Amino acid sequence: MRSLHTLLFLAAVLRCAHAQSTCPAASSGPCLYTKRAILPVSGSAPNLHYYIGGLFGVHERVNDAYACASAPIREEEIINLEAFLWAIEKYKTIHPTVSIGGVAFDTCSRYQRTLEDILSFETCKVQLNDLNPPSPRNLLAYIGPGDNYDAMSSARLLKDMNKTQVSYAASSSLLSDKGETYDFFLRTVPSDAIHLKALSMLIATQLNAKYVQVLYIDNEFGHAQFKTFKEDIEKQTQKVCIVHPASIPAEPSAADLSTLANAVYDRRSVRHVVLLAPKGLARSVLEKLKDNFKTKDPALFSRMMFFGTWDSSVVDGLDVSSYATSLQSPTPLDSDVAEFYRYLNALKPKINTRNKEWFTEYWNAKLNCATRTCNEDETLENKYSRSPYVPYTLAAVKAVIQGIKNGATKACSTGDLCSNYLNTNNRGQQIYTGIINTTDGAMHYFQASGQMKGDASNSFSNLRINLYEAQAGRAVQVTHVADYNPASGLNLLATLTTFSSSCPNTPCLECNETLSTTTSTASPTSQVMVSTTTDPTEGGKYAMLRYPYDEEMTGIYAPSGDRDLYGTRFKIGQKWIIALGVLAGLGILAVLVFEVYILYKLIGTSIGRQWRTMWLGQLLLLGILLSYLTLFAFIFIPTDATCGITRFGVGFCYAIIFAVLLVKLMVLLTSKSSESIFADMESPNYLKGIYQFLMFMFAVGVQVVINVQWLIQVPPYAVKVTANYGGEEWICNHFTWQANKGWSDMQDFVRTPFENHLLSLLYIMFLILMTTIVAMKAHGIITNHRESVFIGIAAGFSIPVWIAWGLVGGLNRDDAYGHEYGDACIAFGLFTTATLCLFSLFLPKVRQLVNMGVEGIYLEDDRDTYYAGSVVMAPPSYKSRPSSMVYVNSAEYSNPVVIGNGDPNHLKHPGSMYSGHSAPVYTKRNDMGSSRVLRVTGDLTGKHPTERKRPVSEIGYTGYAGSYRKTRSESGGTLRKARSQRELGAL
């Protein structure tokens, strides 16, 4: 029976999880998948037919992931889907010995749906109930998807399945980075890098634009586009400077767009604006820019020039001109493209057996059949916009069929699909190699080697550059001004009108410009301004300073313009602030708990007498509390205020903490007891309070002076610079740059903000080292319950903590997100050090206060001293009466002691009927002739009342002259509060 169960289990696993195999026969049920378009094969022999898969975003993406079927149809994608099915039928003659079919899935413009469709099909979790249905074994490659996110996600999955994927529209340059992620990804459409190189050449060589603004979408694709464009523009012979790079939120609010528009207007003298965003977002940005300019200078907007990779619909009716790149269909496919559109013009739902459901939905929407009765013979001719990606869809299908044939011809002698070719371990690389090496005569489809391997070849990378001139109430005038191809470069077809564009500052510090230069053999110099402009309209006149080229400056920078972003760092993806905020909040709570407990224990004591020994502890708690409060300044995107707080606050908090610890150690070192100390002294010989205060003020004052001097010489500001990853980030201005390299690029910094901040804490490092050394010197002193040991623990363990966060922040300066590493290391370093000091010093203090009895003695103090074992008193407990037995001289009760006047006697309690009314002082006998004061409890020193109502025996002695207190159980369960009237030590 067990064997049968095992067999059934294995069968189920193979059915549900064995990809790359033929699925079991389909039957009716929930696993049958009907949301697909299919072109079935005509044969059933395993080696004589195969399918090509298609991934198309037929429906729009909507907020409800389950509402795909009710979402609007995407016209461009439905046209590409029809082109996919038509191309299979058209090009199947390339491989006449086998039957070729196609099956397309609707990804609903969601990468999650794309992955689900692929995985469900490849693991047989969904099946297609058709004649000779597609299966993981006979579906050999995928076409699509066209969306960049979908393509990146599916490429990772299909790479694991060893299946080739050819996209017809995914153009992100990130997909060119093969590595181990996109090994099986190909595309027939030109990469974004081709578009951006064409734009950079046009701007630099034809329009002679010296300055540009760049606006790009704030996601990984936008950042990649900006980085590519920046690299290309810097390589041009004619130098072009990016004055204002700014990111656009992927889903911007009205406030976001308004802030962006204000920033562009403030730099209106830079009339060339590159807008790297999808056409929908680009349209929104341009509309907001127009509204902003309209309220300030209506005529100025029409004199701006925009650049992008979108079509004319973006500028339609906006009274502005723009240059934009567009795809140019490969000439060898022109006839096929025309033939497909003739087919599409004549296509009707009743004859569309391949894609009846989705096409009918699109046809009804396009002909407005919901409000009128449509004729079945009506067509879509002249009712749709052509998709620019149709040629690349046809090319993708043609390349796949030709490549599979080439691989089969090489692997199988007959040219059909032999088992060796379709073997799971062999076919992935064989099919991929066959497709990537496909040619159509002399025309290659893909780059077969190099950095852009798998991208579209030069034959498929032809671009048009159009000039769109839009006027209100008139159609956009389109002028074809140039062509571009990676092999032949830029080919100008029309004369371009250029216009002046200048930097808003003179000289342009954003571009590392200098007003004039003077060279000499000794020390070449350049003039660098402290301020930013000489234009009176921009704020007045400024002084000029002369610096050597290699001069290093800190805090001098050009203005970043209007603030375009406020809020927490979480808004820009820095999620580590969540942990920082939670930990800082918990730290504040812990400080308050310790403070409340200490104040609670002080109830019933003389605060005036305690204050001289507890003020250092209170200052230490204050320093730790300020440390946690300072951490909240790191949570916000840097502003002028937060930059000042973090710059001053971090060093100040460290100074308070370690100055207190150092003063505490000096107090302990000066409080060693002499050979003879009167037994009734309440506390050690502490350093006088005025000296403690002066020492503390001096230790903290050094760091305060350092911080104040830094704030005065380099006033704190938040500035926007180019981060290592190529995007712009707000950081604090305490960085150092060299005159001939400029301040705007983080990669050129001589010292980063983190490194300069670390240098400002050198004095703190000295304090930590000194505290550790002095703690080692004082480790044997038992004063204040061996506090020197715990101070040593706090200071000593701070050293490796500082080494750790210092190395992490310093060694990652070249990381793409090095600015985040620096701030995070400073913040978490402060938190860790403050927390270490809090728990190292105050947890032992709490334990001491808890264990301290009514007599005010912490019993562990005597265990490691000269008098160990001389006096041990059992601590009181609320479960039993206080112990009346006192053991003297190693627990030998009858061992004689010497009374202060030299008369021998036995130990007696002051409450004993045998003792006198005077308070005897007991000393330990020493055979060498000298004596030391025996440390004893309060009842032995006679500090409790000796009056008693009746004599009691020593064994029956239960309290101090009738002062017996009921136990918790005897008093009805309520424990009396016991407060020591003695000092609690240096709190």
Side-chain angles (χ1 to χ4, degrees):
M1 195 64 181
R2 170 175 287 184
S3 299
L4 178 59
H5 288 166
T6 302
L7 182 61
L8 292 175
F9 174 77
L10 291 176
V13 170
L14 289 174
R15 183 182 189 277
C16 296
H18 184 48
Q20 316 294 341
S21 64
T22 301
C23 297
S27 59
S28 61
C31 287
L32 288 178
Y33 195 66
T34 59
K35 299 296 182 182
R36 80 284 186 278
I38 189 165
L39 174 64
V41 297
S42 58
S44 60
N47 62 332
L48 294 178
H49 78 276
Y50 70 88
Y51 280 89
I52 303 173
L55 301 167
F56 299 90
V58 177
H59 290 86
E60 293 281 2
R61 176 189 175 95
V62 291
N63 292 332
D64 187 353
Y66 299 96
C68 177
S70 60
I73 289 281
R74 294 179 64 189
E75 180 176 87
E76 188 172 77
E77 288 292 275
I78 197 72
I79 292 176
N80 291 327
L81 170 55
E82 290 296 341
F84 163 74
L85 297 171
W86 180 87
I88 295 175
E89 189 72 25
K90 170 72 175 178
Y91 301 129
K92 67 181 181 181
T93 55
I94 294 175
H95 200 179
T97 59
V98 299
S99 177
I100 307 173
V103 57
F105 301 97
D106 177 14
T107 66
C108 293
S109 306
R110 287 178 176 270
Y111 73 90
Q112 299 94 334
R113 177 66 178 269
T114 305
L115 298 180
E116 181 183 4
D117 286 344
I118 295 173
L119 193 60
S120 296
F121 175 78
E122 293 288 338
T123 56
C124 300
K125 292 180 180 177
V126 298
Q127 302 177 48
L128 309 180
N129 190 19
D130 299 280
L131 184 64
N132 304 319
S135 69
R137 186 177 187 275
N138 62 31
L139 195 153
L140 304 186
Y142 283 89
I143 304 297
D147 179 79
N148 284 319
Y149 271 118
D150 292 0
M152 293 180 73
S153 302
S154 57
R156 297 186 182 98
L157 178 60
L158 291 173
K159 182 256 182 182
D160 292 337
M161 295 178 172
N162 287 339
K163 287 203 172 181
T164 304
Q165 167 188 8
V166 184
S167 177
Y168 56 88
S171 59
S172 174
S173 58
L174 295 175
L175 289 162
S176 301
D177 183 13
K178 287 294 182 288
E180 298 180 356
T181 304
Y182 308 120
D183 287 353
F184 284 79
F185 176 82
L186 306 172
R187 57 180 165 196
T188 52
V189 69
S191 167
D192 286 344
I194 308 297
H195 291 264
L196 298 175
K197 185 166 290 187
L199 284 179
S200 64
M201 290 186 67
L202 177 75
I203 293 171
T205 64
Q206 301 302 322
L207 298 178
N208 298 320
K210 191 174 180 181
Y211 306 99
V212 296
Q213 301 187 56
V214 180
L215 312 178
Y216 57 93
I217 187 171
D218 190 13
N219 58 25
E220 56 185 318
F221 304 114
H223 289 294
Q225 283 186 310
F226 171 71
K227 182 179 180 181
T228 301
F229 178 79
K230 184 173 183 289
E231 292 172 350
D232 288 338
I233 208 75
E234 290 175 348
K235 294 177 183 176
Q236 301 301 319
T237 305
Q238 172 66 41
K239 182 173 176 58
V240 179
C241 174
I242 301 175
V243 175
H244 175 231
S247 59
I248 313 167
E251 297 180 359
S253 63
D256 293 331
L257 292 177
S258 180
T259 301
L260 185 68
N262 289 329
V264 173
Y265 179 80
D266 289 341
R267 298 165 180 82
R268 54 195 177 276
S269 60
V270 185
R271 296 170 61 185
H272 299 86
V273 181
V274 180
L275 183 52
L276 304 177
K279 63 181 183 181
L281 181 58
R283 174 75 183 188
S284 299
V285 171
L286 289 178
E287 289 175 343
K288 191 64 179 180
L289 287 175
K290 181 180 180 180
D291 293 340
N292 188 280
F293 276 71
K294 185 177 180 180
T295 60
K296 300 174 181 177
D297 190 346
L300 182 60
F301 184 69
S302 61
R303 297 199 297 269
M304 303 292 288
M305 180 62 71
F306 294 91
F307 302 84
T309 59
W310 15 260
D311 57 41
S312 61
S313 64
V314 173
V315 297
D316 189 12
L318 294 181
D319 291 318
V320 75
S321 299
S322 67
Y323 288 96
T325 58
S326 64
L327 300 172
Q328 185 165 294
S329 177
T331 304
L333 292 174
D334 285 348
S335 60
D336 291 346
V337 172
E339 183 180 350
F340 164 71
Y341 279 114
R342 288 195 294 270
Y343 160 81
L344 185 63
N345 287 338
L347 190 60
K348 308 176 187 66
K350 64 181 181 180
I351 63 174
N352 190 351
T353 58
R354 305 163 183 169
N355 179 28
K356 186 174 182 61
E357 180 180 346
W358 294 330
F359 184 79
T360 301
E361 183 181 348
Y362 169 66
W363 186 82
N364 288 334
K366 205 67 182 173
L367 298 179
N368 199 20
C369 296
T371 59
R372 71 180 187 89
T373 302
C374 296
N375 190 323
E376 290 185 354
D377 291 327
E378 290 185 71
T379 65
L380 296 173
E381 188 173 3
N382 299 325
K383 292 182 174 63
Y384 60 87
S385 299
R386 293 193 173 194
S387 170
Y389 297 106
V390 164
Y392 305 98
T393 303
L394 302 184
V397 174
K398 191 173 183 179
V400 168
I401 294 176
Q402 183 67 56
I404 292 175
K405 178 190 176 183
N406 293 343
T409 302
K410 184 176 180 180
C412 312
S413 58
T414 59
D416 59 3
L417 308 178
C418 58
S419 297
N420 182 52
Y421 186 52
L422 296 183
N423 182 279
T424 302
N425 297 324
N426 299 334
R427 71 187 199 169
Q429 191 61 48
Q430 290 185 114
I431 293 176
Y432 171 80
T433 303
I435 295 175
I436 197 174
N437 292 323
T438 298
T439 59
D440 189 354
M443 182 180 70
H444 290 266
Y445 285 84
F446 309 101
Q447 303 280 3
S449 61
Q451 184 179 0
M452 300 178 71
K453 179 180 179 181
D455 279 5
S457 66
N458 291 340
S459 300
F460 287 86
S461 297
N462 296 305
L463 301 178
R464 292 167 58 103
I465 301 180
N466 296 321
L467 172 61
Y468 300 133
E469 296 175 289
Q471 296 180 0
R474 299 177 58 182
V476 178
Q477 182 179 345
V478 181
T479 305
H480 183 189
V481 298
D483 288 328
Y484 178 81
N485 184 273
S488 58
L490 190 67
N491 179 28
L492 197 63
L493 303 177
T495 302
L496 305 182
T497 302
T498 62
F499 52 86
S500 63
S501 178
S502 62
C503 182
N505 310 303
T506 306
C508 192
L509 289 190
E510 295 93 329
C511 303
N512 307 327
E513 287 186 2
T514 57
L515 185 63
S516 62
T517 59
T518 302
T519 59
S520 67
T521 56
S523 178
T525 61
S526 65
Q527 284 191 340
V528 179
M529 287 200 318
V530 176
S531 52
T532 60
T533 182
T534 56
D535 185 353
T537 63
E538 295 294 332
K541 298 179 180 180
Y542 298 89
M544 307 293 292
L545 299 178
R546 185 180 296 274
Y547 289 110
Y549 271 95
D550 58 354
E551 180 75 13
E552 294 181 0
M553 290 168 283
T554 303
I556 302 175
Y557 66 97
S560 298
D562 292 341
R563 183 82 181 195
D564 60 354
L565 189 63
Y566 285 98
T568 65
R569 294 174 186 253
F570 185 82
K571 188 175 182 180
I572 57 176
Q574 299 184 20
K575 299 180 180 179
W576 54 269
I577 66 164
I578 299 176
L580 182 67
V582 172
L583 293 175
L586 292 176
I588 292 173
L589 180 62
V591 170
L592 296 178
V593 169
F594 280 122
E595 178 65 14
V596 169
Y597 181 77
I598 290 174
L599 294 177
Y600 171 77
K601 293 296 291 186
L602 287 173
I603 297 175
T605 65
S606 177
I607 298 297
R609 298 177 64 192
Q610 291 288 351
W611 184 251
R612 65 190 181 93
T613 60
M614 66 179 290
W615 75 277
L616 283 174
Q618 295 298 295
L619 273 180
L620 180 59
L621 275 178
L622 175 63
I624 295 172
L625 178 63
L626 291 177
S627 299
Y628 292 135
L629 292 175
T630 302
L631 294 179
F632 286 100
F634 287 95
I635 294 178
F636 300 96
I637 298 171
T639 63
D640 297 351
T642 60
C643 288
I645 292 172
T646 55
R647 195 195 295 183
F648 181 86
V650 172
F652 181 67
C653 294
Y654 277 130
I656 291 178
I657 292 174
F658 289 100
V660 168
L661 297 185
L662 194 58
V663 172
K664 275 178 168 283
L665 288 172
M666 298 307 297
V667 170
L668 295 176
L669 284 173
T670 58
S671 65
K672 288 184 178 180
S673 58
S674 59
E675 288 295 317
S676 298
I677 297 180
F678 295 105
D680 60 349
M681 290 187 66
E682 295 288 349
S683 62
N685 184 23
Y686 284 138
L687 186 69
K688 288 186 177 181
I690 185 62
Y691 298 143
Q692 297 179 31
F693 177 75
L694 292 176
M695 186 182 298
F696 170 78
M697 292 301 296
F698 176 78
V700 174
V702 174
Q703 185 63 35
V704 171
V705 170
I706 293 173
N707 290 345
V708 171
Q709 181 185 18
W710 194 16
L711 290 174
I712 294 174
Q713 290 186 338
V714 184
Y717 293 106
V719 297
K720 180 178 281 189
V721 301
T722 301
N724 292 335
Y725 68 87
E728 282 200 325
E729 292 288 345
W730 285 97
I731 66 172
C732 296
N733 68 318
H734 44 273
F735 51 82
T736 302
W737 54 282
Q738 201 171 59
N740 64 335
K741 291 185 178 180
W743 68 271
S744 61
D745 196 336
M746 191 177 292
Q747 293 181 343
D748 296 332
F749 287 174
V750 178
R751 286 189 299 277
T752 65
F754 171 80
E755 292 165 335
N756 274 340
H757 205 154
L758 194 61
L759 288 175
S760 74
L761 300 176
L762 286 176
Y763 173 69
I764 303 300
M765 301 179 198
F766 169 76
L767 281 183
I768 295 175
L769 183 61
M770 286 299 299
T771 303
T772 305
I773 294 174
V774 176
M776 294 172 63
K777 174 69 175 175
H779 78 281
I781 300 174
I782 67 168
T783 303
N784 199 24
H785 317 301
R786 299 184 297 278
E787 188 177 32
S788 59
V789 174
F790 302 108
I791 295 176
I793 291 174
F797 279 96
S798 294
I799 295 176
V801 169
W802 272 62
I803 293 175
W805 68 259
L807 289 177
V808 172
L811 297 180
N812 284 284
R813 66 166 294 172
D814 295 328
D815 187 90
Y817 296 93
H819 57 285
E820 287 189 45
Y821 279 105
D823 290 345
C825 286
I826 293 175
F828 283 106
L830 178 60
F831 168 80
T832 305
T833 305
T835 304
L836 177 62
C837 293
L838 176 66
F839 287 95
S840 296
L841 293 165
F842 286 95
L843 273 184
K845 179 61 62 179
V846 169
R847 179 172 179 267
Q848 294 156 11
L849 294 178
V850 169
N851 290 332
M852 190 173 288
V854 177
E855 295 80 10
I857 293 179
Y858 181 52
L859 298 171
E860 291 186 4
D861 284 344
D862 292 321
R863 296 180 183 174
D864 300 323
T865 66
Y866 177 85
Y867 301 105
S870 296
V871 177
V872 180
M873 183 173 182
S877 170
Y878 65 86
K879 294 183 179 179
S880 62
R881 299 183 180 183
S883 173
S884 62
M885 186 64 68
V886 177
Y887 300 94
V888 180
N889 295 337
S890 301
E892 297 181 10
Y893 178 80
S894 60
N895 197 30
V897 296
V898 178
I899 303 178
N901 57 12
D903 296 333
N905 204 331
H906 288 283
L907 176 65
K908 299 184 294 295
H909 277 290
S912 172
M913 60 181 295
Y914 301 108
S915 63
H917 295 287
S918 62
V921 176
Y922 300 97
T923 59
K924 184 175 181 179
R925 173 177 293 175
N926 190 302
D927 296 334
M928 301 299 296
S930 62
S931 64
R932 295 178 183 269
V933 176
L934 178 64
R935 297 184 64 188
V936 295
T937 58
D939 54 344
L940 295 183
T941 58
K943 294 190 177 182
H944 296 280
T946 58
E947 183 180 354
R948 56 191 180 279
K949 295 181 179 180
R950 65 181 185 278
V952 292
S953 66
E954 290 187 10
I955 298 179
Y957 181 76
T958 58
Y960 304 139
S963 62
Y964 163 68
R965 299 182 180 186
K966 294 183 179 180
T967 65
R968 184 176 184 179
S969 58
E970 291 173 333
S971 59
T974 301
L975 179 63
R976 293 176 177 268
K977 292 183 178 179
R979 296 290 173 265
S980 175
Q981 299 300 316
R982 302 174 57 126
E983 292 191 18
L984 301 180
L987 301 177

